[in-house]
Amino acid sequence: MVTDDRTALVEMRNVRVAFGGVHAVEDVSINLFPGEVVGLVGGNGAGKSTLMRVLSGARPADDGEIWIDGKRATINNPRQAKAYGIETIYQTLALADNIDAAGNVFLGRELTDRTGTLDDDAMEAATRAVMKRLNPNFKNFKVPVKSLSGGQRQSVAIARPVHFNARILIMDEPTAALGPAETAQVRDLIRQLKSEGIGIFLISHDIHDVFDLSDRISVMYHGKRVGTVNRDEVTADEVLGMIIMGQAAEETAEANAAAN
Amino acid sequence: MRAVNAILSAISAPVRSFLAATEIDTRLAGMIAALGVIWIGFNILSGGLFLSSRNLWNLSVQSSSIAIMATGMVLIIVSRNIDLSVGSLLGFLGYTMAMVQAMWIPTALGLGFNQPYTWIVAIAIGVTLGALIGGLQGFVIAYGGVPAFIVTLGGFLIWRGLIFWYAQGQTIAPMDSTYQLIGGGPAGSLGAELSWLVGILASLGIAYTVIMGGRRRKAYGFPVRPRWAVITVIAAGSIAALGAVWIANNYFWPPALATQYAQAHGITEPPGGLQISTGIAFPVLILIGVTLAMNYLATRRKFGRYVYSIGGNPDAAELGGINVRRTIVGTYAVMGILVAISGAVQTARLNAAVTNLGVQNELDVIAAAVIGGTSFSGGIGTITGAVLGAVVMQSLRSGMVLLRVDSPTQDIVVGIVLVAAVGLDAFARRRSSR
Ligand SMILES: Nc1ncnc2c1ncn2[C@@H]1O[C@H](COP(=O)(O)OP(=O)(O)O)[C@@H](O)[C@H]1O
Ligand SMILES: [Mg+2]
């Protein structure tokens, strides 16, 4: 693993998750520093989403530790993860289709007045402010998100971590449903958030996305971490080789990393 | 087909832009239109009987018991569950409240009949028990993982069965004299002056809500409805409220009762008899209160937001950090409270608890919610819609009674309307989602 003098923002140690007999994540360790993008790649079913769901509190690990800012962290549910500043854009977006944009951005963290009444106007105002930055063309604030386009829905999902000032951002296939223009927008956003010192785990099946945006790339294969490489020290083909060949590619990649 | 669609959109375009400007829910507007058609149709067929004050007043009282419960069923169906137990639970809670006032307080405790506190104690016990039993069913569903259909089917059998443990099939009567007023009737109504007061307060309330809401949105710089739309909404709401009061006040006490009243108060009856306005009946007043409270709960509280988000996407709710299970328990506890309130209305109206109390109510309540636009796929449904759904159903029944249609035929018609309403709704939704 890459060593660094700074304290890691996130360190996941020896994480293990099994679904019945399926070892979705096996003894995986991974870390992330402030202002860094770590790309997480691997074939379908490699365990990328499951690993990240452990960090976001969606599915507690069967074994392993999570350290945040150098301290042992307890994350058993999404609420606890959010308290550590961990925000997630899920592959499925996790939107309630019947609720409008502001309702989704604030889902589970609604603003209320003194009497406990929902302050829908304040939530809409905050959502409009975030959207001005993310997607200035977004106009449909009063309709259920079901009636929005794929790109607009994605904007709503992205508005959530931006509004709540994520320190640690997990993006699971954030551009999968997007056209070229919207993909470019998301890429710009990732660069901007990174420059603000946010640490980002980026899962993507698009190796070029990952190569353009990441500082380091971790490759998973059948639930195991095959290796972690510095972006500048490998070629896309080498990473592809690791993704496809798994174990076999590990030696070459880690040898590469060690040589530098 | 294409021509039909073209005509449909040509007609609906101006209607839709009107509804958009006034921010009136399209589905709700459709229901009000359908209700108008039903009322006018029955009025013509019955030779003007249907839209008489007397019939409309009765309609309001007959609708309220089912409507009160339908507001709770909305939250349960919206969160992708069901409650088949409400009819039996109503019977059980109704019996409990009847026993409290007709046996336990007066005889078992020896405190005597018609004490000033009797009615409130009976209702408090019913409501508390309703919340506990509803919450228990919700607990088994949410934490026990037993499907709602099964748990409440069990409840359907259990609560009905418990009535016989209580009363061995006997009727419990009469009810406490104050408690009886909850059921409506001439004495259990507001009378002219208080009814006007309610109508005026309702109009002011509508105006206040609409204007203040608009002002707040304007302060935030959000788009607001045009002035004419604001005026239209306030005017329509006020006319509806005051019109309803006018109708209720035009229904007079039965002559015999009025004569009795005149003699008791030493009033000489004018020729043609004393005309005493009945006004808004207490069950209707309770329904209005329940509708306001449930609307607030559903749309302006976190609890309601959670219920709708669970129905829209349970995973998203869970990932948002919402306590899904606790919320589900809450929906059933609320349902139990509403069942108790309806049970009080029904036993007070009957002035008795009878063994078939609440039989088939679960079906009427579910039908009212569904006719009112609540969708079994979850996440969709409004409190106001469910109340309108109950009124639509009761209008059909009451209209058919006026036309001397027998009860089995009434069931057939209501059944057809139920299926047709859901079919039409599904059709409209497919059209709008294209
Ligand atoms: N909820 C679940 N129940 C059972 N198996 C699951 C579940 N989620 C993921 N898996 C399994 O875990 C493995 C890893 O899946 P996932 O983390 O989604 O992979 P990736 O995101 O890399 O495509 C797969 O074999 C998948 O079938
Ligand atoms: Mg995945």
Side-chain angles (χ1 to χ4, degrees), chain A residues 79 95 98 115 117-118 120, chain B residues 296 300-301 308 313 321 379:
Chain A
R79 238 174 229 290
L95 298 175
N98 54 335
T115 63
T117 305
L118 293 178
D120 284 315
Chain B
Y296 175 70
R300 312 284 297 134
R301 300 294 302 191
Y308 280 82
N313 184 347

Side-chain angles (χ1 to χ4, degrees), chain A residues 10-260:
Chain A
V10 180
E11 200 176 335
M12 298 179 80
R13 293 184 190 163
N14 310 104
V15 172
R16 207 181 290 275
V17 178
F19 295 104
V22 182
H23 296 284
V25 174
E26 258 193 284
D27 200 24
V28 172
S29 298
I30 192 169
N31 64 6
L32 176 71
F33 291 91
E36 185 189 37
V37 177
V38 170
L40 200 50
V41 295
N44 247 335
K48 311 180 293 288
S49 295
T50 306
L51 179 65
M52 287 299 111
R53 287 171 70 85
V54 169
L55 185 56
S56 63
R59 207 280 180 204
D62 297 323
D63 199 7
E65 297 174 359
I66 299 173
W67 293 66
I68 310 272
D69 297 324
K71 290 191 208 75
R72 179 77 189 268
T74 316
I75 299 178
N76 290 319
N77 57 51
R79 238 174 229 290
Q80 287 174 333
K82 286 169 188 176
Y84 286 110
I86 301 170
E87 295 284 335
T88 311
I89 299 164
Y90 292 95
Q91 190 166 3
T92 55
L93 300 188
L95 298 175
D97 274 337
N98 54 335
I99 293 176
D100 64 11
N104 270 291
V105 170
F106 285 89
L107 191 59
R109 286 178 284 189
E110 290 78 4
L111 302 178
T112 56
D113 65 14
R114 283 177 319 260
T115 63
T117 305
L118 293 178
D119 194 341
D120 284 315
D121 292 329
M123 290 191 269
E124 186 180 332
T127 306
R128 282 176 186 268
V130 176
M131 279 300 181
K132 201 170 278 174
R133 199 175 136 196
L134 294 181
N135 184 355
N137 298 324
F138 194 99
K139 290 284 182 302
N140 298 315
F141 287 95
K142 277 301 188 195
V143 299
V145 297
K146 178 172 64 179
S147 53
L148 302 179
S149 71
Q152 289 177 324
R153 289 164 54 83
Q154 192 91 33
S155 305
V156 175
I158 295 177
R160 214 178 292 183
V162 174
H163 172 79
F164 285 100
N165 295 317
R167 295 175 58 232
I168 300 153
L169 178 57
I170 302 165
M171 302 175 99
D172 195 347
E173 306 276 5
T175 58
L178 301 185
E182 289 158 329
T183 300
Q185 247 173 16
V186 171
R187 286 169 162 225
D188 288 344
L189 177 76
I190 291 175
R191 290 197 187 93
Q192 191 191 335
L193 295 175
K194 173 180 152 72
S195 73
E196 292 170 13
I198 295 169
I200 300 174
F201 279 119
L202 174 65
I203 301 181
S204 180
H205 66 271
D206 182 344
I207 193 77
H208 300 291
D209 254 1
V210 173
F211 244 79
D212 273 7
L213 297 165
S214 310
D215 300 297
R216 285 184 294 147
I217 300 170
S218 283
V219 182
M220 288 188 67
Y221 184 83
H222 287 317
K224 295 200 183 71
R225 185 174 61 89
V226 176
T228 300
V229 294
N230 290 327
R231 194 267 319 263
D232 296 337
E233 296 160 2
V234 287
T235 63
D237 282 342
E238 283 170 317
V239 174
L240 271 175
M242 290 169 76
I243 294 172
I244 295 163
M245 314 232 264
Q247 197 66 35
E250 183 178 5
E251 284 109 48
T252 53
E254 296 243 311
N256 265 345
N260 287 289

